[in-house]
Amino acid sequence: HPSAIYLFVTMALRVAASQAFRSSKLQGCRAFSAEAVQAFPDYVLKAPTTDVTTLDSGMRVASETSVGGETATVGVWIDAGSRYETAQNNGAAHFLEHMAFKGTDKRSQQQLEVEIENMGGHLNAYTSREQTVYFAKVFKDDVGKAVEILSDILLNSKLDEAAIDRERDVILREMEEVNKKQEELVLDHLHSTAFQGTGLGRTILGPEENIRSLTRNDLTDYIATHYTAPRMVIAGAGAINHDELCGLAAKHFGNVPTVPKGGVEVAMDPAVFLGSDIRVKFDSDDTAHVAFAFEGASWTSEYAFPLMLMQSILGSYDRTSGLGKNMASKMCQEVSEYELAHSISCFNTCYKDTGLFGIYFVAPDNKLDDLMWHVMNNLVRLVHVPSDEEVERAKVNLKATMLMSLDGNSNVAEDIGRQLLTYGRRMTPAEIFSRIDAVTTSDIKATAAKFINDEDHALAAVGGIHELPDYNWIRRHSYWLRY
């Protein structure tokens, strides 16, 4: 029958094309030539060095000294976040971040606040899915005092029962505020559907019932299990002497346990990506907030840099910006020309063993069908016809973004802490530039073929989404039929 023959040929072509893409080898792991490195400007080749020392306990101390500076940022980066929690204690890492500033055995909450204020310092903390960070920004003469305060709030927090009960309402209020920010809400939904049933799928704040029920024992157990010396990095940047920082770390963090309570390391909950979607429909809303993503790469994957370049190629657009139709990104040009979205951006989120590569957009409810067609077309275009010109432009863009992200001591300390936890070392700007330059247009094609072409996706959408195509339509448009 003619239609059966046509169907058979179509399927055969599709399988052959898929196999051809799967067999494409990434060529990014080629040797860096000495000539290429020499071509870099002085500000890349002569970037300040990062000194790294591992103490006897396994704790790492790393710093970058800037000569002539008057201020410094010093902090503790801990390899523990909401991903390492269970369904029962989800929210503990974030709860601990709040409790750290509520007083210790040596200082009351007021004494802690007054001491920081009198130094003219700034003490802060944040929790992410894979890391917990406590850091202080101070004058160079106060670095010693800052390290002592950080050790005090981390290791000697009172965790007073009355303070824990008071903090529940504060965190629930914070949850209300977070849920009002549509982008954060949608990205939380995206994680919960993409990694459902695993640690990465849980929110950082935890569910409301956990916030109301977490006990002091839950918090102390979390500390004893995860706050061990080998999982900590003390990072400093600015007017810092590395040997002095090592001495301060040994003095104030010397009694951090080297193994968890019970002597057994808790294994990381592996991430399992599941193609799925979650849609929260409000017909009364005339705007849609949508995030959809394919499974991405880990920090240490050979595909990490090609994916960063793909993110740069796809770019971002906001209708309040003046560029509009003159954007470099083809996707953003089309979105602007046909007025398809209020804003759109490509994101590339990396974790230890997986990632999310996708698009987030805010769009009118009656433009979603056209918008999804243009978005999918531009994603799949990278599998087949990315141009050398846009790859070169993306390289320059990525290098500039990387250098601009290192403006200021706090950003440098953040970079040191994150890289030591994810890579086990800090890459120099020259190495990063070399890795970016090593990626070719055919590498972009091979990477897009692996992560986008005919692959499952996860999607989260909130608002007026009656026109958003269903899962199968989007799945069908993740590849081109080319004869």
Side-chain angles (χ1 to χ4, degrees):
H1 195 276
S3 61
I5 295 168
Y6 172 79
L7 184 64
F8 174 77
V9 171
T10 302
M11 291 300 293
L13 282 167
R14 188 173 155 194
V15 169
S18 180
Q19 287 172 345
F21 289 134
R22 295 283 188 279
S23 65
S24 299
K25 293 294 182 187
L26 193 73
Q27 299 159 14
C29 301
R30 57 182 64 80
F32 308 135
S33 68
E35 295 81 12
V37 174
Q38 289 304 317
F40 294 141
D42 278 356
Y43 60 80
V44 173
L45 296 176
K46 295 181 180 176
T49 57
T50 305
D51 300 306
V52 183
T53 303
T54 304
L55 305 180
D56 293 340
S57 62
M59 181 181 288
R60 287 161 289 176
V61 182
S63 68
E64 178 183 301
T65 305
S66 56
V67 181
E70 288 297 319
T71 60
T73 297
V74 63
V76 185
W77 272 255
I78 308 169
D79 190 10
S82 60
R83 175 175 192 176
Y84 294 89
E85 298 164 347
T86 62
Q88 288 70 40
N89 72 353
N90 182 207
H94 178 259
F95 210 122
L96 272 171
E97 174 208 315
H98 276 250
M99 295 308 300
F101 304 104
K102 296 296 177 278
T104 69
D105 297 334
K106 280 167 57 176
R107 299 173 171 91
S108 66
Q109 181 178 348
Q110 186 186 7
Q111 286 171 326
L112 177 64
E113 290 170 3
V114 168
E115 194 169 344
I116 291 291
E117 294 265 336
N118 289 345
M119 287 161 54
H122 176 87
L123 187 63
N124 209 341
Y126 66 85
T127 310
S128 68
R129 282 183 163 79
E130 288 191 335
Q131 295 170 10
T132 305
V133 180
Y134 297 83
F135 65 95
K137 296 192 266 191
V138 292
F139 284 118
K140 63 180 179 184
D141 294 335
D142 294 322
V143 169
K145 202 185 284 186
V147 174
E148 190 271 323
I149 289 173
L150 286 167
S151 75
D152 195 29
I153 64 174
L154 263 171
L155 309 177
N156 307 313
S157 228
K158 253 189 181 168
L159 301 178
D160 179 58
E161 295 278 10
I164 289 173
D165 285 335
R166 280 197 305 274
E167 208 58 27
R168 296 188 203 280
D169 290 331
V170 176
I171 296 173
L172 288 170
R173 176 78 184 130
E174 183 184 341
M175 180 186 274
E176 282 180 29
E177 293 301 317
V178 167
N179 288 341
K180 285 177 189 171
K181 296 175 184 170
Q182 295 282 20
E183 183 172 359
E184 291 200 33
L185 180 68
V186 168
L187 290 175
D188 272 348
H189 281 325
L190 181 68
H191 280 80
S192 70
T193 193
F195 301 113
Q196 53 190 277
T198 71
L200 269 184
R202 300 188 192 103
T203 62
I204 294 168
L205 270 66
E208 186 176 332
E209 55 268 27
N210 279 18
I211 295 168
R212 293 191 187 280
S213 63
L214 280 171
T215 64
R216 187 179 192 277
N217 282 346
D218 291 324
L219 301 183
T220 53
D221 282 351
Y222 187 87
I223 292 172
T225 306
H226 299 291
Y227 285 18
T228 56
R231 295 176 73 164
M232 289 185 177
V233 171
I234 294 181
I240 279 183
N241 178 298
H242 182 71
D243 293 335
E244 188 184 313
L245 187 63
C246 290
L248 290 166
K251 178 181 175 184
H252 298 298
F253 288 88
N255 59 351
V256 175
T258 55
V259 291
K261 185 180 70 172
V264 180
E265 277 284 348
V266 177
M268 184 177 72
D269 187 7
V272 180
F273 183 88
L274 183 67
S276 54
D277 62 10
I278 180 167
R279 297 170 186 236
V280 184
K281 186 176 172 188
F282 294 110
D283 286 339
S284 58
D285 200 341
D286 62 357
T287 305
H289 298 258
V290 181
F292 87 101
F294 297 96
E295 183 174 18
S298 68
W299 285 109
T300 53
S301 166
E302 68 268 37
Y303 296 100
F305 279 94
L307 281 169
M308 289 179 204
L309 287 172
M310 284 164 58
Q311 179 191 7
S312 198
I313 290 170
L314 292 165
S316 62
Y317 161 77
D318 191 296
R319 67 187 302 180
T320 58
S321 69
L323 284 170
K325 298 172 192 174
N326 299 313
M327 299 284 285
S329 156
K330 281 188 167 62
M331 179 179 77
C332 294
Q333 281 177 20
E334 291 170 10
V335 169
S336 171
E337 186 174 349
Y338 301 116
E339 298 181 356
L340 298 175
H342 302 306
S343 65
I344 185 167
S345 60
C346 180
F347 61 87
N348 176 38
T349 308
C350 294
Y351 296 106
K352 279 190 168 181
D353 56 347
T354 187
L356 288 173
F357 179 87
I359 306 284
Y360 172 79
F361 57 80
V362 181
D365 60 345
N366 61 345
K367 296 287 181 78
L368 294 177
D369 192 46
D370 285 351
L371 176 58
M372 282 307 299
W373 189 90
H374 284 282
V375 166
M376 295 309 298
N377 196 53
N378 275 284
L379 281 165
V380 181
R381 186 181 67 80
L382 295 179
V383 180
H384 302 281
V385 285
S387 69
D388 294 342
E389 180 194 356
E390 59 189 344
V391 173
E392 289 308 310
R393 188 191 295 118
K395 288 180 181 180
V396 175
N397 198 341
L398 184 57
K399 289 175 187 175
T401 302
M402 190 222 90
L403 287 178
M404 285 189 280
S405 72
L406 296 179
D407 278 351
N409 295 335
S410 297
N411 290 346
V412 173
E414 163 74 35
D415 191 56
I416 294 171
R418 180 183 58 76
Q419 288 206 34
L420 258 73
L421 288 182
T422 52
Y423 301 134
R425 64 189 183 90
R426 190 183 183 208
M427 287 193 278
T428 62
E431 181 185 343
I432 292 172
F433 276 34
S434 297
R435 287 181 180 277
I436 292 170
D437 284 338
V439 180
T440 65
T441 307
S442 56
D443 293 335
I444 297 293
K445 287 183 183 178
T447 305
K450 178 176 173 61
F451 290 97
I452 295 172
N453 194 70
D454 202 9
E455 292 293 334
D456 290 338
H457 67 275
L459 178 143
V462 174
I465 54 170
H466 59 88
E467 206 185 86
L468 184 67
D470 67 8
Y471 189 94
N472 287 330
W473 186 97
I474 299 170
R475 180 69 181 77
R476 159 61 190 87
H477 286 77
S478 67
Y479 55 88
W480 287 352
L481 290 176
R482 310 189 87 197
Y483 303 109

